[in-house]
Amino acid sequence: MMKKSFIGIDSGSTMCKAVLFQDSRPVDVLISKTGWNPKVSARQNADLLLERNRLAPEDVVFAATGYGRESLDFTEHVFTEIICHAFGGMHLVPKVQGVIDIGGQDSKVIRISNGKVVDFLMNDKCAAGTGRFLSMACESLGIELANIDGFVNLEEFTPINSMCAVFAESEIIGLLSTGTDRSKIMAGVLQSIAQRIRQMIERLGFSPGAPLLMTGGLSRSKALLEAIAKAAGLEIITHAYAPYAGALGACICAQQRVAAG
Amino acid sequence: MGKNQLPKDFENFADARKEGFLKIKNLKDQGVKVVGTFCTYTPVEVIMASGAVSVGICSFSDETIPDAERVLPRNLCPLIKSSYGFALTEKCPYMYFSDLLVGETTCDGKKKMYELLGELKDMHVMQLPQTQTDEISKEMWYREVLALKARVEADFGVEITDEDIRAAIRLKNEERKLLKELYELSKACPPPISGAEQLKVLYGSQFKFDYEAKLQELREIIDKIRQDYAKGERPVPESAKRILITGCPLAGATEKVVTAIEESGGVVVGYENCIGAKTVDKLVDENEEPYKALADRYLQIGCSVMTPDHNRFELLERLIDEFKVDGVVEMTLQACHTYAVETESLRRVVQGKGIPFISVETDYSAADTAQLKNRLAAFLEMMA
Ligand code: SF4
Ligand code: SF4
């Protein structure tokens, strides 16, 4: 009998996300810290999903994506984050023309047309415009990542000029020492990330009309979404399940592969 | 025979560079002159006609880059740094045994590096025009070809006769025909060989100095591949996505790009690179005045150092059609400005044909192997 349940694991550089997918929809989700051993966190998440949904491992098809995907030993299917975020994103919001994912180690923008990925750009060479850049800034400023929205007013920002995360850190420390307001610096950091993402968006050539979906953990920040939307001049939306888009996409890709034989 | 014979033949070419070390030493001992070349624009027939041996000494390993960086800036193309580094450290036997090096005024980095290289070795720099269609450029390049002839004759104390140069042109054309026949085998769906194997032959053939034997070996390997395919051997699955590679010279350290593609469900069917179709696609006209024919043929090679670079796009589009390519992967080397800028025009040409395109930038280190794999795997999934 063909299995109808899928568990997708998105083993990211900071967080490990897991989704249980049944009857072509996500029915349960889970997120935990990846920790130093991606194998362990992935296994634990998968086991927990099985347990609380009363499933046995043999009832389920396992699929993986994210940085740790190659190290997992219980997943039959492995896909890159690009394809997973795209399919996960399309499942959540079918009308999207693109997906933006700002991960811990990289950032990517994916262009979608007629239900297919047609192009993508990925920045994994430098920390600028990635989650790492943002967490560095939060640390220097003593702001919780989850609290940035309450902290900033996008209109009032001090520009951060350094593109490199290491230099940006010195720049932030310099600004703090001259008494610059923390919220202005934080707003400047968001603007700087938004500019990096805007460059990628413009290279891919989107047209106004359909929205872009922001996935990943940072999609929770309204301020970041707004900064990107303003910079790019496009509608950027998110979804309650957006942080799970990668894991969800892994389920969908696996389902397609199983169906194709 | 049969199955287990084939890989051996590829290894024969894969080992050619290393095995050539000894051969080149023997040739030197016999008094044969050696000329090191860096670029596809060098009309090697002139060198062959003088009785000397020409060998490509562009370097593709990061081994000597730290040494080179004592002199050259860090933010420079690894091919240039590594080539200079091998001269500096005397670690490349080909460089070491060369009596003369020939370079061209191609990109800025290379031509300035040649000034420094000239302090270490005898160096001849040909002034390469940057446009390909105007009469002044053609005339200039013709004169440069004649100047190379004069330099080689003077340095080696020989005279190149009309018959010498014609014979060299014929021989080189024979090699081109065979190499082309070989890579065109990959027009078949599925191709009879992997991209890694194709590259081994294309790259290795540069380091076989006995021409007659080389032509014979190429003939044999082609026939062997044909036979096996006819017998029904299909080493590459039909489902593999057919990839064309383009961009900066690719060999050695940057073969990681080919590996990443072929480990992710793709197969490289062609190379629009310097080690690939660019050098062999067109023959030198054997009926024309030899030096004129050489100048005309070589100047028309497509490369991003030319402006505009129509010939690169023309060849690329032709290969896309002929090899039924599913996607194009461009590899640029870090700090190669001409290729990096040209990427935008290339993207428009390729995507304009409705073909997926990706450009990846890399260097000679292994540091980005996982990132490359990630990107290229995503590119292949996108086409699935
Ligand atoms: S890429 Fe251009 S400059 Fe470099 S070796 Fe090839 S033809 Fe010469
Ligand atoms: S790869 Fe680019 S920068 Fe390097 S030598 Fe060739 S043309 Fe010059």
Side-chain angles (χ1 to χ4, degrees):
Chain A
M1 196 194 72
M2 200 137 80
K3 293 180 192 174
K4 296 250 169 58
S5 300
F6 297 82
I7 286 183
I9 308 276
D10 177 1
S11 174
S13 58
T14 38
M15 302 303 267
C16 178
K17 287 83 52 178
V19 168
L20 172 66
F21 188 76
Q22 284 175 321
D23 301 319
S24 295
R25 58 190 188 87
V27 293
D28 197 2
V29 299
L30 204 90
I31 188 163
S32 71
K33 280 219 155 58
T34 303
W36 67 270
N37 189 342
K39 251 180 167 164
V40 172
S41 47
R43 183 83 253 182
Q44 281 171 350
N45 281 358
D47 286 345
L48 200 55
L49 278 186
L50 290 173
E51 193 187 309
R52 72 185 188 195
N53 292 281
R54 295 188 171 63
L55 288 163
E58 48 285 5
D59 304 332
V60 177
V61 177
F62 294 92
T65 185
Y67 267 88
R69 66 179 184 274
E70 303 282 2
S71 66
L72 311 187
D73 49 12
F74 61 96
T75 46
E76 298 146 64
H77 302 280
V78 182
F79 305 95
T80 65
E81 297 108 285
I82 299 286
I83 212 82
C84 290
H85 278 270
F87 278 96
M90 278 187 270
H91 187 90
L92 297 174
V93 187
K95 64 178 176 186
V96 290
Q97 61 165 329
V99 169
I100 303 166
D101 174 51
I102 304 182
Q105 302 289 326
D106 61 19
S107 45
K108 36 204 174 284
V109 179
I110 307 159
R111 196 156 71 83
I112 291 166
S113 174
N114 296 324
K116 288 187 88 171
V117 176
V118 286
D119 207 353
F120 65 89
L121 282 173
M122 195 168 183
N123 160 37
D124 54 13
K125 296 248 156 160
C126 80
T130 71
R132 192 151 32 125
F133 187 78
L134 193 58
S135 26
M136 175 279 300
C138 285
E139 213 158 286
S140 311
L141 294 168
I143 302 172
E144 284 278 326
L145 196 59
N147 295 342
I148 33 179
D149 281 14
F151 227 89
V152 295
N153 171 359
L154 282 179
E155 304 302 323
E156 288 178 31
F157 66 95
T158 307
I160 304 291
N161 298 308
S162 308
M163 274 304 188
C164 157
V166 179
F167 289 128
E169 186 169 14
S170 333
E171 194 177 341
I172 292 172
I173 293 168
L175 287 170
L176 283 173
S177 72
T178 57
T180 313
D181 193 43
R182 278 201 299 169
S183 74
K184 285 189 179 168
I185 303 177
M186 193 69 233
V189 168
L190 295 186
Q191 298 287 10
S192 142
I193 294 174
Q195 286 306 327
R196 287 302 285 242
I197 302 295
R198 188 208 72 183
Q199 288 171 355
M200 293 165 75
I201 289 177
E202 286 182 354
R203 261 178 193 266
L204 288 178
F206 291 97
S207 44
L212 273 77
L213 177 76
M214 184 141 149
T215 61
L218 291 180
S219 61
R220 293 273 190 257
S221 167
K222 290 226 165 51
L224 183 57
L225 243 70
E226 194 187 320
I228 298 172
K230 277 218 175 103
L234 289 165
E235 187 193 351
I236 316 274
I237 56 168
T238 186
H239 186 281
Y241 273 174
Y244 302 97
L248 174 61
C251 297
I252 296 166
C253 291
Q255 189 182 36
Q256 284 175 359
R257 201 181 271 174
V258 169
Chain B
M1 283 274 319
K3 240 174 177 164
N4 41 20
Q5 190 79 26
L6 195 56
K8 274 213 190 82
D9 298 341
F10 285 112
E11 289 321 314
N12 167 10
F13 280 90
D15 295 339
R17 186 172 179 275
K18 245 192 230 140
E19 275 166 12
F21 292 163
L22 214 68
K23 290 192 192 131
I24 208 99
K25 187 177 176 303
N26 291 338
L27 287 171
K28 281 289 282 195
D29 291 343
Q30 292 162 30
V32 176
K33 299 291 181 190
V34 176
V35 179
T37 64
F38 290 94
C39 170
T40 309
Y41 284 107
T42 313
V44 291
E45 288 88 339
V46 176
I47 297 163
M48 291 161 64
S50 77
V53 159
S54 87
V55 58
I57 48 176
C58 266
S59 308
F60 298 104
S61 117
D62 64 354
E63 194 186 329
T64 62
I65 288 181
D67 293 302
E69 284 176 351
R70 294 203 307 257
V71 180
L72 299 174
R74 287 199 63 185
N75 185 25
L76 182 69
C77 151
L79 190 155
I80 302 176
K81 282 193 286 194
S82 144
S83 300
Y84 180 75
F86 274 103
L88 200 62
T89 56
E90 301 191 334
K91 275 185 185 164
C92 168
Y94 294 122
M95 182 88 81
Y96 179 78
F97 285 127
S98 290
D99 298 283
L100 178 68
L101 302 182
V102 178
E104 292 76 19
T105 53
T106 47
C107 63
D108 289 352
K110 253 188 180 172
K111 78 186 175 213
K112 298 308 285 184
M113 182 271 279
Y114 292 149
E115 292 174 12
L116 295 167
L117 193 57
E119 296 169 356
L120 306 172
K121 300 284 294 184
D122 275 342
M123 179 92 222
H124 178 82
V125 178
M126 300 177 75
Q127 194 180 333
L128 180 73
Q130 310 212 323
T131 59
Q132 297 165 306
T133 45
D134 59 298
E135 289 311 314
I136 296 176
S137 294
K138 288 183 181 172
E139 173 65 20
M140 177 175 137
W141 186 237
Y142 173 58
R143 283 170 191 245
E144 286 294 314
V145 174
L146 291 178
L148 175 66
K149 169 181 183 270
R151 172 75 191 252
V152 170
E153 287 180 329
D155 276 31
F156 302 155
V158 292
E159 194 200 323
I160 301 175
T161 65
D162 191 59
E163 193 30 54
D164 292 336
I165 190 72
R166 285 184 192 276
I169 290 175
R170 278 196 301 272
L171 204 54
K172 189 75 194 165
N173 273 349
E174 281 315 306
E175 184 192 4
R176 288 196 182 98
K177 283 183 209 157
L178 284 167
L179 288 173
K180 189 169 179 170
E181 191 178 339
L182 175 104
Y183 73 67
E184 287 194 335
L185 292 172
S186 288
K187 281 184 178 176
C189 299
I193 55 173
S194 70
E197 288 166 334
Q198 187 189 130
L199 187 63
K200 272 179 194 166
V201 180
L202 292 173
Y203 183 55
S205 68
Q206 286 187 71
F207 302 102
K208 293 190 172 271
F209 307 112
D210 178 343
Y211 257 82
E212 296 301 333
K214 165 158 76 176
L215 298 184
Q216 183 59 34
E217 282 171 40
L218 283 171
R219 179 79 267 152
E220 280 165 13
I221 198 165
I222 294 168
D223 292 344
K224 181 81 176 62
I225 295 169
R226 276 230 171 85
Q227 280 165 20
D228 289 349
Y229 198 76
K231 271 190 250 150
E233 280 183 28
R234 295 290 181 273
V236 179
E238 187 120 29
S239 59
K241 292 284 164 196
R242 306 168 60 83
I243 302 297
L244 179 73
I245 295 189
T246 178
C248 297
L250 186 154
T254 44
E255 280 171 35
K256 61 187 171 184
V257 174
V258 179
T259 311
I261 292 170
E262 301 203 321
E263 279 178 358
S264 307
V267 57
V268 177
V269 290
Y271 296 90
E272 191 279 319
N273 294 80
C274 275
I275 298 161
K278 267 169 79 165
T279 23
V280 279
D281 177 61
K282 287 204 173 73
L283 301 179
V284 176
D285 190 339
E286 295 177 14
N287 300 316
E288 255 218 78
E289 191 273 303
Y291 297 96
K292 182 84 186 31
L294 284 170
D296 286 348
R297 154 65 173 71
Y298 277 91
L299 187 60
Q300 296 312 319
I301 293 172
C303 170
S304 65
V305 297
M306 291 294 172
T307 179
D309 190 12
H310 294 314
N311 290 346
R312 178 180 180 205
F313 300 144
E314 184 273 323
L315 174 60
L316 194 91
E317 287 194 69
R318 188 150 48 80
L319 294 176
I320 289 176
D321 295 338
E322 289 179 0
F323 286 75
K324 300 177 211 70
V325 164
D326 294 312
V328 173
V329 173
E330 183 191 44
M331 180 207 73
T332 64
L333 292 172
Q334 229 164 57
C336 172
H337 300 314
T338 54
Y339 273 99
V341 174
E342 200 167 280
T343 297
E344 186 53 32
S345 315
L346 187 76
R347 177 191 303 281
R348 289 181 204 154
V349 168
V350 177
Q351 290 182 339
K353 285 176 76 79
I355 303 288
F357 172 81
I358 190 173
S359 181
V360 293
E361 188 196 67
T362 188
D363 62 11
Y364 285 1
S365 78
D368 64 351
T369 311
Q371 290 171 339
L372 271 178
K373 176 97 197 276
N374 198 27
R375 258 166 221 252
L376 291 167
F379 182 65
L380 284 152
E381 283 175 354
M382 174 180 124
M383 290 186 287

